[in-house]
Amino acid sequence: MKMKALAVALVLAACNAPYAAMAQSIDAPSLKEGDSWTYADTVEKGPSGWTQTHDELTIQRVTDSHIYFTAKQAGSAQNGHEAITDSDWGRTREFDGNEVVVNRPLAFPLTAGKHWEVQYTEPHPNPRLSSETWTTKYKVVGFEDVTVPAGTFHALKIEAEGQWRGELASMNTVVQAAQASPGTTTMVTQAHRVIPQAVAGQTYKAFWYVPEVGRWVKSVEEYYGSNGVRNERYTAELEAYKRSAQ
């Protein structure tokens, strides 16, 4: 009877193993000064615009709430520019005196199925818009293998889909044209007022996070216009990394 009970227990454990793996919880990495990551960053705009750079991020210091780092072109002798991000690599901006989270690719601890949302409204993001609201819903999908220049990694994939909605600002436009007739030239001025109207589009993001790397090894961000056509895509693929002894 004892052997039979043991066999049953082993079978049940084997059946539950996939669920235990899915329930794995990943805490925030212990980042230290000197940790660095080099990415091949590709920017695609419109049907033909394409550029690529190789950029290196290096940790300067880490506090309980923020990561201070420098970013520069890989191999450059320049110091690069210094930046700050939240402890989960999220990005915060200030609107009307209030700090607002505008991007949060990771939300530790990470577990398969976990989800979170980022929403914010930016007043007057450009001269054409009086406001723009972004809503992004993130979800931890699960582990999968991904290959980048630095190698093949078993990564935890996070996907995010969202919407952006903008309000076109009202404005007056003036068009002048010259009408010529024998012996005279007449200037014709036409004034046109743009009535406020709403515009909208979609976004898609994906991040492949690897715990031992301490950051994602690949990321993709896509932005679509109101006609459903992709306007921009940003891709980052890890080329090399260095972690301090943990």
Side-chain angles (χ1 to χ4, degrees), residues 31-82:
L31 302 178
K32 292 181 171 58
E33 178 182 351
D35 289 351
S36 66
W37 303 265
T38 301
Y39 292 93
D41 292 315
T42 305
V43 178
E44 300 169 75
K45 292 190 176 183
S48 58
W50 185 92
T51 60
Q52 187 176 77
T53 58
H54 302 271
D55 305 300
E56 180 182 356
L57 308 180
T58 303
I59 299 292
Q60 299 302 304
R61 64 180 178 274
V62 178
T63 66
D64 290 340
S65 56
H66 292 95
I67 300 170
Y68 296 79
F69 66 96
T70 59
K72 68 175 184 177
Q73 185 176 343
S76 172
Q78 303 295 322
N79 292 329
H81 66 267
E82 298 182 3

mmCIF file of all heavy atoms in Angstrom, residues 31-82:
data_model
loop_
_atom_site.group_PDB
_atom_site.id
_atom_site.type_symbol
_atom_site.label_atom_id
_atom_site.label_comp_id
_atom_site.label_asym_id
_atom_site.label_seq_id
_atom_site.Cartn_x
_atom_site.Cartn_y
_atom_site.Cartn_z
ATOM 1 N N LEU A 31 20.384 44.843 -9.037
ATOM 2 C CA LEU A 31 21.277 45.558 -9.946
ATOM 3 C C LEU A 31 22.341 46.311 -9.159
ATOM 4 O O LEU A 31 22.088 46.786 -8.049
ATOM 5 C CB LEU A 31 20.481 46.534 -10.814
ATOM 6 C CG LEU A 31 19.370 45.905 -11.671
ATOM 7 C CD1 LEU A 31 18.623 46.980 -12.439
ATOM 8 C CD2 LEU A 31 19.950 44.870 -12.623
ATOM 9 N N LYS A 32 23.518 46.428 -9.749
ATOM 10 C CA LYS A 32 24.633 47.088 -9.087
ATOM 11 C C LYS A 32 25.349 48.025 -10.046
ATOM 12 O O LYS A 32 25.205 47.917 -11.268
ATOM 13 C CB LYS A 32 25.620 46.052 -8.538
ATOM 14 C CG LYS A 32 25.086 45.213 -7.380
ATOM 15 C CD LYS A 32 26.139 44.237 -6.881
ATOM 16 C CE LYS A 32 25.691 43.536 -5.585
ATOM 17 N NZ LYS A 32 24.433 42.818 -5.740
ATOM 18 N N GLU A 33 26.110 48.934 -9.465
ATOM 19 C CA GLU A 33 26.907 49.860 -10.261
ATOM 20 C C GLU A 33 27.819 49.082 -11.209
ATOM 21 O O GLU A 33 28.471 48.118 -10.802
ATOM 22 C CB GLU A 33 27.751 50.747 -9.344
ATOM 23 C CG GLU A 33 28.647 51.723 -10.086
ATOM 24 C CD GLU A 33 29.508 52.544 -9.151
ATOM 25 O OE1 GLU A 33 29.280 52.476 -7.919
ATOM 26 O OE2 GLU A 33 30.414 53.256 -9.642
ATOM 27 N N GLY A 34 27.846 49.488 -12.456
ATOM 28 C CA GLY A 34 28.688 48.830 -13.443
ATOM 29 C C GLY A 34 27.963 47.823 -14.310
ATOM 30 O O GLY A 34 28.480 47.440 -15.369
ATOM 31 N N ASP A 35 26.775 47.356 -13.896
ATOM 32 C CA ASP A 35 26.000 46.470 -14.753
ATOM 33 C C ASP A 35 25.704 47.199 -16.069
ATOM 34 O O ASP A 35 25.359 48.385 -16.065
ATOM 35 C CB ASP A 35 24.686 46.071 -14.087
ATOM 36 C CG ASP A 35 24.892 45.119 -12.912
ATOM 37 O OD1 ASP A 35 26.033 44.649 -12.725
ATOM 38 O OD2 ASP A 35 23.922 44.869 -12.177
ATOM 39 N N SER A 36 25.806 46.483 -17.186
ATOM 40 C CA SER A 36 25.607 47.155 -18.469
ATOM 41 C C SER A 36 24.967 46.217 -19.481
ATOM 42 O O SER A 36 25.081 44.988 -19.382
ATOM 43 C CB SER A 36 26.935 47.687 -19.022
ATOM 44 O OG SER A 36 27.811 46.611 -19.349
ATOM 45 N N TRP A 37 24.297 46.816 -20.466
ATOM 46 C CA TRP A 37 23.642 46.091 -21.544
ATOM 47 C C TRP A 37 23.850 46.865 -22.842
ATOM 48 O O TRP A 37 23.704 48.091 -22.874
ATOM 49 C CB TRP A 37 22.141 45.956 -21.279
ATOM 50 C CG TRP A 37 21.793 45.298 -19.982
ATOM 51 C CD1 TRP A 37 21.516 43.987 -19.761
ATOM 52 C CD2 TRP A 37 21.688 45.934 -18.693
ATOM 53 N NE1 TRP A 37 21.243 43.754 -18.444
ATOM 54 C CE2 TRP A 37 21.340 44.940 -17.756
ATOM 55 C CE3 TRP A 37 21.848 47.248 -18.261
ATOM 56 C CZ2 TRP A 37 21.165 45.224 -16.414
ATOM 57 C CZ3 TRP A 37 21.673 47.535 -16.922
ATOM 58 C CH2 TRP A 37 21.334 46.513 -16.002
ATOM 59 N N THR A 38 24.176 46.164 -23.905
ATOM 60 C CA THR A 38 24.337 46.787 -25.211
ATOM 61 C C THR A 38 23.278 46.227 -26.155
ATOM 62 O O THR A 38 23.124 45.002 -26.267
ATOM 63 C CB THR A 38 25.736 46.524 -25.792
ATOM 64 O OG1 THR A 38 26.727 47.042 -24.896
ATOM 65 C CG2 THR A 38 25.896 47.201 -27.148
ATOM 66 N N TYR A 39 22.554 47.123 -26.816
ATOM 67 C CA TYR A 39 21.462 46.731 -27.694
ATOM 68 C C TYR A 39 21.678 47.251 -29.112
ATOM 69 O O TYR A 39 22.252 48.330 -29.314
ATOM 70 C CB TYR A 39 20.134 47.305 -27.186
ATOM 71 C CG TYR A 39 19.646 46.720 -25.888
ATOM 72 C CD1 TYR A 39 19.970 47.329 -24.676
ATOM 73 C CD2 TYR A 39 18.841 45.583 -25.863
ATOM 74 C CE1 TYR A 39 19.512 46.804 -23.470
ATOM 75 C CE2 TYR A 39 18.382 45.061 -24.667
ATOM 76 C CZ TYR A 39 18.712 45.670 -23.474
ATOM 77 O OH TYR A 39 18.264 45.157 -22.285
ATOM 78 N N ALA A 40 21.180 46.481 -30.080
ATOM 79 C CA ALA A 40 21.002 46.980 -31.435
ATOM 80 C C ALA A 40 19.593 47.550 -31.488
ATOM 81 O O ALA A 40 18.611 46.811 -31.363
ATOM 82 C CB ALA A 40 21.166 45.854 -32.452
ATOM 83 N N ASP A 41 19.484 48.867 -31.621
ATOM 84 C CA ASP A 41 18.195 49.558 -31.626
ATOM 85 C C ASP A 41 17.815 49.942 -33.051
ATOM 86 O O ASP A 41 18.543 50.687 -33.714
ATOM 87 C CB ASP A 41 18.260 50.805 -30.746
ATOM 88 C CG ASP A 41 18.408 50.463 -29.272
ATOM 89 O OD1 ASP A 41 17.692 49.561 -28.814
ATOM 90 O OD2 ASP A 41 19.239 51.094 -28.590
ATOM 91 N N THR A 42 16.683 49.445 -33.503
ATOM 92 C CA THR A 42 16.209 49.694 -34.859
ATOM 93 C C THR A 42 14.933 50.516 -34.814
ATOM 94 O O THR A 42 14.013 50.201 -34.062
ATOM 95 C CB THR A 42 15.940 48.377 -35.606
ATOM 96 O OG1 THR A 42 17.130 47.572 -35.582
ATOM 97 C CG2 THR A 42 15.544 48.639 -37.047
ATOM 98 N N VAL A 43 14.890 51.576 -35.628
ATOM 99 C CA VAL A 43 13.719 52.450 -35.718
ATOM 100 C C VAL A 43 13.190 52.384 -37.144
ATOM 101 O O VAL A 43 13.931 52.629 -38.098
ATOM 102 C CB VAL A 43 14.070 53.906 -35.341
ATOM 103 C CG1 VAL A 43 12.837 54.798 -35.497
ATOM 104 C CG2 VAL A 43 14.608 53.972 -33.918
ATOM 105 N N GLU A 44 11.905 52.041 -37.271
ATOM 106 C CA GLU A 44 11.250 52.023 -38.589
ATOM 107 C C GLU A 44 10.109 53.027 -38.561
ATOM 108 O O GLU A 44 9.228 52.956 -37.708
ATOM 109 C CB GLU A 44 10.709 50.629 -38.886
ATOM 110 C CG GLU A 44 11.770 49.535 -38.901
ATOM 111 C CD GLU A 44 11.160 48.154 -38.943
ATOM 112 O OE1 GLU A 44 10.681 47.747 -40.011
ATOM 113 O OE2 GLU A 44 11.154 47.488 -37.879
ATOM 114 N N LYS A 45 10.126 53.962 -39.520
ATOM 115 C CA LYS A 45 9.075 54.970 -39.612
ATOM 116 C C LYS A 45 8.547 55.012 -41.036
ATOM 117 O O LYS A 45 9.315 55.154 -41.984
ATOM 118 C CB LYS A 45 9.604 56.345 -39.202
ATOM 119 C CG LYS A 45 9.948 56.450 -37.723
ATOM 120 C CD LYS A 45 10.241 57.873 -37.305
ATOM 121 C CE LYS A 45 10.484 57.967 -35.810
ATOM 122 N NZ LYS A 45 10.702 59.365 -35.357
ATOM 123 N N GLY A 46 7.213 54.893 -41.152
ATOM 124 C CA GLY A 46 6.619 54.916 -42.472
ATOM 125 C C GLY A 46 7.003 53.690 -43.276
ATOM 126 O O GLY A 46 7.538 52.704 -42.771
ATOM 127 N N PRO A 47 6.762 53.726 -44.594
ATOM 128 C CA PRO A 47 7.032 52.558 -45.433
ATOM 129 C C PRO A 47 8.505 52.328 -45.742
ATOM 130 O O PRO A 47 8.894 51.236 -46.130
ATOM 131 C CB PRO A 47 6.260 52.876 -46.726
ATOM 132 C CG PRO A 47 6.200 54.369 -46.766
ATOM 133 C CD PRO A 47 6.105 54.814 -45.338
ATOM 134 N N SER A 48 9.354 53.355 -45.588
ATOM 135 C CA SER A 48 10.743 53.192 -46.012
ATOM 136 C C SER A 48 11.783 53.718 -45.026
ATOM 137 O O SER A 48 12.972 53.479 -45.204
ATOM 138 C CB SER A 48 10.952 53.888 -47.367
ATOM 139 O OG SER A 48 10.624 55.267 -47.277
ATOM 140 N N GLY A 49 11.383 54.442 -43.990
ATOM 141 C CA GLY A 49 12.359 54.987 -43.054
ATOM 142 C C GLY A 49 12.925 53.916 -42.138
ATOM 143 O O GLY A 49 12.173 53.159 -41.515
ATOM 144 N N TRP A 50 14.265 53.834 -42.070
ATOM 145 C CA TRP A 50 14.893 52.777 -41.265
ATOM 146 C C TRP A 50 16.251 53.254 -40.790
ATOM 147 O O TRP A 50 17.071 53.720 -41.594
ATOM 148 C CB TRP A 50 15.055 51.514 -42.100
ATOM 149 C CG TRP A 50 15.581 50.320 -41.361
ATOM 150 C CD1 TRP A 50 14.851 49.360 -40.736
ATOM 151 C CD2 TRP A 50 16.965 49.951 -41.178
ATOM 152 N NE1 TRP A 50 15.671 48.407 -40.170
ATOM 153 C CE2 TRP A 50 16.984 48.749 -40.430
ATOM 154 C CE3 TRP A 50 18.165 50.518 -41.558
ATOM 155 C CZ2 TRP A 50 18.157 48.111 -40.055
ATOM 156 C CZ3 TRP A 50 19.350 49.885 -41.187
ATOM 157 C CH2 TRP A 50 19.340 48.695 -40.454
ATOM 158 N N THR A 51 16.500 53.159 -39.480
ATOM 159 C CA THR A 51 17.811 53.490 -38.921
ATOM 160 C C THR A 51 18.142 52.483 -37.836
ATOM 161 O O THR A 51 17.249 51.892 -37.220
ATOM 162 C CB THR A 51 17.845 54.909 -38.319
ATOM 163 O OG1 THR A 51 16.867 55.005 -37.265
ATOM 164 C CG2 THR A 51 17.570 55.978 -39.371
ATOM 165 N N GLN A 52 19.436 52.297 -37.590
ATOM 166 C CA GLN A 52 19.860 51.388 -36.526
ATOM 167 C C GLN A 52 21.083 51.954 -35.815
ATOM 168 O O GLN A 52 21.990 52.468 -36.467
ATOM 169 C CB GLN A 52 20.189 50.000 -37.058
ATOM 170 C CG GLN A 52 20.473 48.974 -35.952
ATOM 171 C CD GLN A 52 20.704 47.574 -36.486
ATOM 172 O OE1 GLN A 52 21.773 47.273 -36.996
ATOM 173 N NE2 GLN A 52 19.677 46.725 -36.392
ATOM 174 N N THR A 53 21.062 51.879 -34.493
ATOM 175 C CA THR A 53 22.197 52.299 -33.677
ATOM 176 C C THR A 53 22.544 51.181 -32.699
ATOM 177 O O THR A 53 21.744 50.264 -32.473
ATOM 178 C CB THR A 53 21.882 53.589 -32.895
ATOM 179 O OG1 THR A 53 20.729 53.357 -32.060
ATOM 180 C CG2 THR A 53 21.600 54.753 -33.836
ATOM 181 N N HIS A 54 23.733 51.264 -32.110
ATOM 182 C CA HIS A 54 24.167 50.299 -31.105
ATOM 183 C C HIS A 54 24.430 51.088 -29.822
ATOM 184 O O HIS A 54 25.341 51.924 -29.778
ATOM 185 C CB HIS A 54 25.420 49.563 -31.586
ATOM 186 C CG HIS A 54 25.195 48.849 -32.889
ATOM 187 N ND1 HIS A 54 24.731 47.549 -32.964
ATOM 188 C CD2 HIS A 54 25.343 49.270 -34.172
ATOM 189 C CE1 HIS A 54 24.620 47.195 -34.230
ATOM 190 N NE2 HIS A 54 24.981 48.218 -34.986
ATOM 191 N N ASP A 55 23.604 50.843 -28.821
ATOM 192 C CA ASP A 55 23.590 51.684 -27.633
ATOM 193 C C ASP A 55 23.882 50.884 -26.370
ATOM 194 O O ASP A 55 23.417 49.750 -26.218
ATOM 195 C CB ASP A 55 22.238 52.384 -27.508
ATOM 196 C CG ASP A 55 21.893 53.164 -28.764
ATOM 197 O OD1 ASP A 55 22.654 54.076 -29.123
ATOM 198 O OD2 ASP A 55 20.876 52.833 -29.410
ATOM 199 N N GLU A 56 24.638 51.517 -25.474
ATOM 200 C CA GLU A 56 25.048 50.862 -24.228
ATOM 201 C C GLU A 56 24.459 51.596 -23.029
ATOM 202 O O GLU A 56 24.571 52.816 -22.914
ATOM 203 C CB GLU A 56 26.572 50.846 -24.116
ATOM 204 C CG GLU A 56 27.082 50.170 -22.847
ATOM 205 C CD GLU A 56 28.608 50.203 -22.746
ATOM 206 O OE1 GLU A 56 29.251 50.684 -23.700
ATOM 207 O OE2 GLU A 56 29.130 49.761 -21.708
ATOM 208 N N LEU A 57 23.814 50.840 -22.134
ATOM 209 C CA LEU A 57 23.284 51.373 -20.875
ATOM 210 C C LEU A 57 24.145 50.848 -19.737
ATOM 211 O O LEU A 57 24.406 49.650 -19.666
ATOM 212 C CB LEU A 57 21.836 50.939 -20.661
ATOM 213 C CG LEU A 57 20.830 51.195 -21.784
ATOM 214 C CD1 LEU A 57 19.460 50.687 -21.378
ATOM 215 C CD2 LEU A 57 20.774 52.672 -22.130
ATOM 216 N N THR A 58 24.571 51.745 -18.833
ATOM 217 C CA THR A 58 25.417 51.344 -17.715
ATOM 218 C C THR A 58 24.864 51.914 -16.417
ATOM 219 O O THR A 58 24.602 53.116 -16.325
ATOM 220 C CB THR A 58 26.865 51.828 -17.906
ATOM 221 O OG1 THR A 58 27.369 51.328 -19.149
ATOM 222 C CG2 THR A 58 27.756 51.345 -16.772
ATOM 223 N N ILE A 59 24.676 51.054 -15.410
ATOM 224 C CA ILE A 59 24.151 51.487 -14.123
ATOM 225 C C ILE A 59 25.192 52.341 -13.391
ATOM 226 O O ILE A 59 26.358 51.970 -13.273
ATOM 227 C CB ILE A 59 23.794 50.279 -13.241
ATOM 228 C CG1 ILE A 59 22.716 49.420 -13.915
ATOM 229 C CG2 ILE A 59 23.326 50.735 -11.856
ATOM 230 C CD1 ILE A 59 21.380 50.069 -14.012
ATOM 231 N N GLN A 60 24.748 53.491 -12.880
ATOM 232 C CA GLN A 60 25.593 54.354 -12.053
ATOM 233 C C GLN A 60 25.325 54.135 -10.569
ATOM 234 O O GLN A 60 26.247 54.044 -9.770
ATOM 235 C CB GLN A 60 25.368 55.821 -12.426
ATOM 236 C CG GLN A 60 25.717 56.146 -13.873
ATOM 237 C CD GLN A 60 27.155 55.816 -14.200
ATOM 238 O OE1 GLN A 60 28.082 56.301 -13.541
ATOM 239 N NE2 GLN A 60 27.370 54.980 -15.213
ATOM 240 N N ARG A 61 24.071 54.056 -10.219
ATOM 241 C CA ARG A 61 23.700 53.753 -8.824
ATOM 242 C C ARG A 61 22.229 53.328 -8.801
ATOM 243 O O ARG A 61 21.463 53.633 -9.719
ATOM 244 C CB ARG A 61 23.923 54.955 -7.893
ATOM 245 C CG ARG A 61 23.080 56.166 -8.186
ATOM 246 C CD ARG A 61 23.391 57.297 -7.205
ATOM 247 N NE ARG A 61 22.633 58.497 -7.489
ATOM 248 C CZ ARG A 61 23.000 59.431 -8.354
ATOM 249 N NH1 ARG A 61 24.136 59.306 -9.027
ATOM 250 N NH2 ARG A 61 22.243 60.498 -8.544
ATOM 251 N N VAL A 62 21.874 52.632 -7.719
ATOM 252 C CA VAL A 62 20.511 52.132 -7.561
ATOM 253 C C VAL A 62 20.022 52.475 -6.169
ATOM 254 O O VAL A 62 20.725 52.263 -5.180
ATOM 255 C CB VAL A 62 20.459 50.596 -7.764
ATOM 256 C CG1 VAL A 62 19.043 50.079 -7.540
ATOM 257 C CG2 VAL A 62 20.946 50.221 -9.159
ATOM 258 N N THR A 63 18.819 53.032 -6.082
ATOM 259 C CA THR A 63 18.190 53.300 -4.792
ATOM 260 C C THR A 63 16.953 52.420 -4.660
ATOM 261 O O THR A 63 16.651 51.618 -5.546
ATOM 262 C CB THR A 63 17.805 54.786 -4.671
ATOM 263 O OG1 THR A 63 16.771 55.080 -5.631
ATOM 264 C CG2 THR A 63 19.006 55.683 -4.948
ATOM 265 N N ASP A 64 16.218 52.585 -3.568
ATOM 266 C CA ASP A 64 15.023 51.769 -3.374
ATOM 267 C C ASP A 64 13.961 52.037 -4.443
ATOM 268 O O ASP A 64 13.159 51.147 -4.747
ATOM 269 C CB ASP A 64 14.417 52.044 -1.991
ATOM 270 C CG ASP A 64 15.279 51.501 -0.865
ATOM 271 O OD1 ASP A 64 16.109 50.606 -1.146
ATOM 272 O OD2 ASP A 64 15.137 51.979 0.272
ATOM 273 N N SER A 65 13.943 53.236 -5.006
ATOM 274 C CA SER A 65 12.872 53.596 -5.929
ATOM 275 C C SER A 65 13.328 53.940 -7.339
ATOM 276 O O SER A 65 12.498 54.044 -8.243
ATOM 277 C CB SER A 65 12.084 54.796 -5.364
ATOM 278 O OG SER A 65 12.960 55.887 -5.112
ATOM 279 N N HIS A 66 14.650 54.111 -7.554
ATOM 280 C CA HIS A 66 15.097 54.555 -8.864
ATOM 281 C C HIS A 66 16.377 53.860 -9.322
ATOM 282 O O HIS A 66 17.146 53.342 -8.494
ATOM 283 C CB HIS A 66 15.322 56.072 -8.891
ATOM 284 C CG HIS A 66 14.070 56.873 -8.769
ATOM 285 N ND1 HIS A 66 13.616 57.355 -7.556
ATOM 286 C CD2 HIS A 66 13.158 57.260 -9.698
ATOM 287 C CE1 HIS A 66 12.487 58.012 -7.744
ATOM 288 N NE2 HIS A 66 12.190 57.969 -9.039
ATOM 289 N N ILE A 67 16.563 53.864 -10.636
ATOM 290 C CA ILE A 67 17.801 53.404 -11.266
ATOM 291 C C ILE A 67 18.416 54.588 -11.996
ATOM 292 O O ILE A 67 17.748 55.222 -12.816
ATOM 293 C CB ILE A 67 17.529 52.263 -12.264
ATOM 294 C CG1 ILE A 67 16.887 51.063 -11.561
ATOM 295 C CG2 ILE A 67 18.812 51.841 -12.972
ATOM 296 C CD1 ILE A 67 16.376 49.997 -12.530
ATOM 297 N N TYR A 68 19.672 54.885 -11.685
ATOM 298 C CA TYR A 68 20.399 55.948 -12.365
ATOM 299 C C TYR A 68 21.377 55.283 -13.334
ATOM 300 O O TYR A 68 22.151 54.400 -12.940
ATOM 301 C CB TYR A 68 21.156 56.815 -11.362
ATOM 302 C CG TYR A 68 20.261 57.566 -10.395
ATOM 303 C CD1 TYR A 68 19.690 56.919 -9.291
ATOM 304 C CD2 TYR A 68 19.986 58.918 -10.578
ATOM 305 C CE1 TYR A 68 18.866 57.601 -8.404
ATOM 306 C CE2 TYR A 68 19.167 59.614 -9.691
ATOM 307 C CZ TYR A 68 18.611 58.941 -8.620
ATOM 308 O OH TYR A 68 17.798 59.629 -7.730
ATOM 309 N N PHE A 69 21.358 55.715 -14.590
ATOM 310 C CA PHE A 69 22.218 55.069 -15.575
ATOM 311 C C PHE A 69 22.676 56.079 -16.626
ATOM 312 O O PHE A 69 22.139 57.189 -16.728
ATOM 313 C CB PHE A 69 21.484 53.903 -16.252
ATOM 314 C CG PHE A 69 20.305 54.327 -17.098
ATOM 315 C CD1 PHE A 69 20.430 54.498 -18.464
ATOM 316 C CD2 PHE A 69 19.057 54.544 -16.517
ATOM 317 C CE1 PHE A 69 19.352 54.881 -19.244
ATOM 318 C CE2 PHE A 69 17.962 54.932 -17.285
ATOM 319 C CZ PHE A 69 18.108 55.099 -18.657
ATOM 320 N N THR A 70 23.678 55.669 -17.382
ATOM 321 C CA THR A 70 24.126 56.465 -18.522
ATOM 322 C C THR A 70 23.830 55.688 -19.802
ATOM 323 O O THR A 70 23.841 54.456 -19.813
ATOM 324 C CB THR A 70 25.633 56.774 -18.451
ATOM 325 O OG1 THR A 70 26.373 55.540 -18.419
ATOM 326 C CG2 THR A 70 25.960 57.588 -17.220
ATOM 327 N N ALA A 71 23.551 56.415 -20.856
ATOM 328 C CA ALA A 71 23.293 55.824 -22.165
ATOM 329 C C ALA A 71 24.200 56.492 -23.184
ATOM 330 O O ALA A 71 24.305 57.724 -23.219
ATOM 331 C CB ALA A 71 21.831 56.003 -22.552
ATOM 332 N N LYS A 72 24.862 55.679 -23.987
ATOM 333 C CA LYS A 72 25.742 56.224 -25.011
ATOM 334 C C LYS A 72 25.869 55.228 -26.158
ATOM 335 O O LYS A 72 25.468 54.065 -26.039
ATOM 336 C CB LYS A 72 27.123 56.520 -24.429
ATOM 337 C CG LYS A 72 27.918 55.280 -24.020
ATOM 338 C CD LYS A 72 29.330 55.644 -23.565
ATOM 339 C CE LYS A 72 30.144 54.395 -23.255
ATOM 340 N NZ LYS A 72 31.545 54.733 -22.887
ATOM 341 N N GLN A 73 26.435 55.719 -27.256
ATOM 342 C CA GLN A 73 26.685 54.832 -28.380
ATOM 343 C C GLN A 73 27.762 53.829 -28.007
ATOM 344 O O GLN A 73 28.779 54.190 -27.406
ATOM 345 C CB GLN A 73 27.118 55.649 -29.596
ATOM 346 C CG GLN A 73 27.299 54.826 -30.862
ATOM 347 C CD GLN A 73 27.637 55.703 -32.061
ATOM 348 O OE1 GLN A 73 27.444 56.914 -32.025
ATOM 349 N NE2 GLN A 73 28.141 55.091 -33.119
ATOM 350 N N ALA A 74 27.547 52.573 -28.315
ATOM 351 C CA ALA A 74 28.505 51.527 -27.956
ATOM 352 C C ALA A 74 29.866 51.825 -28.561
ATOM 353 O O ALA A 74 29.982 52.168 -29.737
ATOM 354 C CB ALA A 74 28.001 50.172 -28.442
ATOM 355 N N GLY A 75 30.914 51.722 -27.730
ATOM 356 C CA GLY A 75 32.269 51.958 -28.187
ATOM 357 C C GLY A 75 32.698 53.405 -28.178
ATOM 358 O O GLY A 75 33.867 53.706 -28.440
ATOM 359 N N SER A 76 31.764 54.310 -27.848
ATOM 360 C CA SER A 76 32.098 55.733 -27.849
ATOM 361 C C SER A 76 32.939 56.085 -26.624
ATOM 362 O O SER A 76 32.736 55.537 -25.533
ATOM 363 C CB SER A 76 30.818 56.575 -27.848
ATOM 364 O OG SER A 76 31.098 57.947 -27.670
ATOM 365 N N ALA A 77 33.877 57.021 -26.817
ATOM 366 C CA ALA A 77 34.703 57.489 -25.702
ATOM 367 C C ALA A 77 33.992 58.571 -24.902
ATOM 368 O O ALA A 77 34.481 58.977 -23.840
ATOM 369 C CB ALA A 77 36.038 58.014 -26.222
ATOM 370 N N GLN A 78 32.863 59.046 -25.405
ATOM 371 C CA GLN A 78 32.098 60.071 -24.705
ATOM 372 C C GLN A 78 31.421 59.477 -23.469
ATOM 373 O O GLN A 78 31.186 58.266 -23.387
ATOM 374 C CB GLN A 78 31.044 60.685 -25.634
ATOM 375 C CG GLN A 78 31.614 61.289 -26.908
ATOM 376 C CD GLN A 78 32.510 62.473 -26.632
ATOM 377 O OE1 GLN A 78 32.243 63.275 -25.738
ATOM 378 N NE2 GLN A 78 33.588 62.595 -27.396
ATOM 379 N N ASN A 79 31.099 60.350 -22.511
ATOM 380 C CA ASN A 79 30.465 59.896 -21.277
ATOM 381 C C ASN A 79 29.010 59.489 -21.469
ATOM 382 O O ASN A 79 28.459 58.734 -20.680
ATOM 383 C CB ASN A 79 30.546 60.991 -20.209
ATOM 384 C CG ASN A 79 31.971 61.245 -19.741
ATOM 385 O OD1 ASN A 79 32.790 60.322 -19.728
ATOM 386 N ND2 ASN A 79 32.273 62.476 -19.372
ATOM 387 N N GLY A 80 28.371 59.997 -22.512
ATOM 388 C CA GLY A 80 26.958 59.714 -22.721
ATOM 389 C C GLY A 80 26.078 60.598 -21.868
ATOM 390 O O GLY A 80 26.563 61.414 -21.083
ATOM 391 N N HIS A 81 24.770 60.450 -22.001
ATOM 392 C CA HIS A 81 23.870 61.267 -21.193
ATOM 393 C C HIS A 81 23.335 60.449 -20.021
ATOM 394 O O HIS A 81 23.150 59.232 -20.124
ATOM 395 C CB HIS A 81 22.716 61.823 -22.034
ATOM 396 C CG HIS A 81 21.773 60.784 -22.557
ATOM 397 N ND1 HIS A 81 21.896 60.196 -23.804
ATOM 398 C CD2 HIS A 81 20.669 60.217 -21.996
ATOM 399 C CE1 HIS A 81 20.926 59.330 -23.979
ATOM 400 N NE2 HIS A 81 20.161 59.318 -22.915
ATOM 401 N N GLU A 82 23.117 61.134 -18.910
ATOM 402 C CA GLU A 82 22.634 60.486 -17.698
ATOM 403 C C GLU A 82 21.114 60.543 -17.641
ATOM 404 O O GLU A 82 20.501 61.528 -18.049
ATOM 405 C CB GLU A 82 23.237 61.159 -16.465
ATOM 406 C CG GLU A 82 24.760 61.054 -16.414
ATOM 407 C CD GLU A 82 25.343 61.676 -15.162
ATOM 408 O OE1 GLU A 82 24.551 62.136 -14.316
ATOM 409 O OE2 GLU A 82 26.581 61.688 -15.032
#
